């Protein structure tokens, strides 16, 4: 081999060993090490997120993307987390509904919105919020009115009714349930006519 050819061959060899313009060859020792490192980092990021709070798969995928974890690596790690039930969107949605309906008295509409914002699939959202029925929702609305009613007794009846309706609307309650809950708790002090004009007054 001539000196020129030998030099060119050595140059190509060094270029490939250093990654070259196209990076490590898939399946090579260098590429495999990079994948292993990325998976280790992805696992660490996901576990750190889960240690802070329960997360949906979509939330974890977003966290990995922000750290520039390749999509295929993220998918492998998250698939494995689902296999061992470290990630379970169905259970996440069930617990979310239970906590936010009981603790914050949110209605089904608000619960559905929050779950979709966290990347939960529509069918999983519907399954979770179906655990709250019409009676549950109405009683939760009544309880919210009972809590707020005493502090509003000095208000004009129309303004008082609208403020209560506004509070319920922000919790996701439909107009019909809001009106019924207010009438049930306040009795004759708030008629349907008090609530007809929308929008409601702010708190």
């Amino acid at each position: 081999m001539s000196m020129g050819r030998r030099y060119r061959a050595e140059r190509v060899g060094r270029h490939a060993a250093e990654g070259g313009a196209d990076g490590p060859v898939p399946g090579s020792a260098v590429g495999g090490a990079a994948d292993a490192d990325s998976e280790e980092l992805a696992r660490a990021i996901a576990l750190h997120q889960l240690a802070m709070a329960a997360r949906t798969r979509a939330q974890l995928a977003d966290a990995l993307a922000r750290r520039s974890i390749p999509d295929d690596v993220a998918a492998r790690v998250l698939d494995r987390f689902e296999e061992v039930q470290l990630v379970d969107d169905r259970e996440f949605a069930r617990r979310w509904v239970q906590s936010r309906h009981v603790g914050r008295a949110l209605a089904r509409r608000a619960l559905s919105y929050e779950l979709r914002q966290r990347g939960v699939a529509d069918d999983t959202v519907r399954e979770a919020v179906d655990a709250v029925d019409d009676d549950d929702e109405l009683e939760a609305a009544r309880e919210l009115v009972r809590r707020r009613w005493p502090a509003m007794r000095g208000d004009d009846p129309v303004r008082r009714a609208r403020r209560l309706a506004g509070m319920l609307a922000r919790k996701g309650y439909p107009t019909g349930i809001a009106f019924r809950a207010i009438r049930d708790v306040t009795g004759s002090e708030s008629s349907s006519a008090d609530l007809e004009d929308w929008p409601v007054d702010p708190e």
Side-chain angles (χ1 to χ4, degrees):
M1 180 184 292
S2 69
M3 290 292 293
R5 287 183 179 178
R6 183 181 304 161
Y7 173 74
R8 285 195 296 274
E10 288 174 352
R11 243 183 113 187
V12 170
R14 284 197 301 272
H15 190 62
E18 293 167 359
D22 297 326
V25 177
S28 69
V30 174
D35 282 351
D37 288 345
S38 292
E39 285 199 24
E40 186 63 30
L41 177 58
R43 282 193 293 271
I45 293 168
L47 287 171
H48 177 69
Q49 290 287 314
L50 291 170
M52 293 189 293
R55 310 281 185 191
T56 65
R57 178 173 178 133
Q59 287 177 311
L60 291 175
D62 287 344
L64 296 176
R66 288 195 299 270
R67 296 291 298 274
S68 300
I69 299 296
D71 290 346
D72 59 329
V73 173
R76 285 199 301 272
V77 169
L78 295 178
D79 284 348
R80 179 57 181 160
F81 273 40
E82 285 186 333
E83 286 175 14
V84 298
Q85 298 183 331
L86 286 173
V87 177
D88 186 339
D89 281 5
R90 186 167 274 100
E91 180 64 11
F92 177 96
R94 186 189 71 80
R95 289 179 177 272
W96 186 271
V97 167
Q98 183 180 50
S99 171
R100 302 285 283 178
H101 178 66
V102 174
R104 297 286 303 279
L106 295 186
R108 286 171 291 192
R109 184 168 59 189
L111 293 167
S112 296
Y113 174 79
E114 290 187 343
L115 287 171
R116 290 190 176 98
Q117 287 292 102
R118 286 155 181 78
V120 179
D122 286 347
D123 58 341
T124 304
V125 171
R126 285 192 295 270
E127 179 184 327
V129 299
D130 279 351
V132 179
D133 62 24
D134 292 343
D135 290 339
D136 294 331
E137 202 163 65
L138 178 58
E139 184 52 38
R142 287 174 180 145
E143 182 57 30
L144 284 170
V145 174
R146 290 187 195 105
R147 290 182 205 165
R148 302 303 294 272
W149 180 243
M152 297 180 178
R153 286 191 178 276
D155 279 354
D156 170 82
V158 174
R159 173 170 164 73
R160 183 169 56 216
R162 290 178 182 171
R163 288 183 64 194
L164 288 168
M167 178 265 295
L168 292 172
R170 285 186 289 277
K171 294 281 188 177
Y173 289 92
T175 303
I177 287 181
F179 288 2
R180 181 175 172 186
I182 294 168
R183 286 196 300 270
D184 288 350
V185 174
T186 65
S188 60
E189 293 186 67
S190 294
S191 68
S192 298
D194 294 335
L195 302 169
E196 282 177 356
D197 295 326
W198 216 258
V200 297
D201 289 350
E203 287 287 300

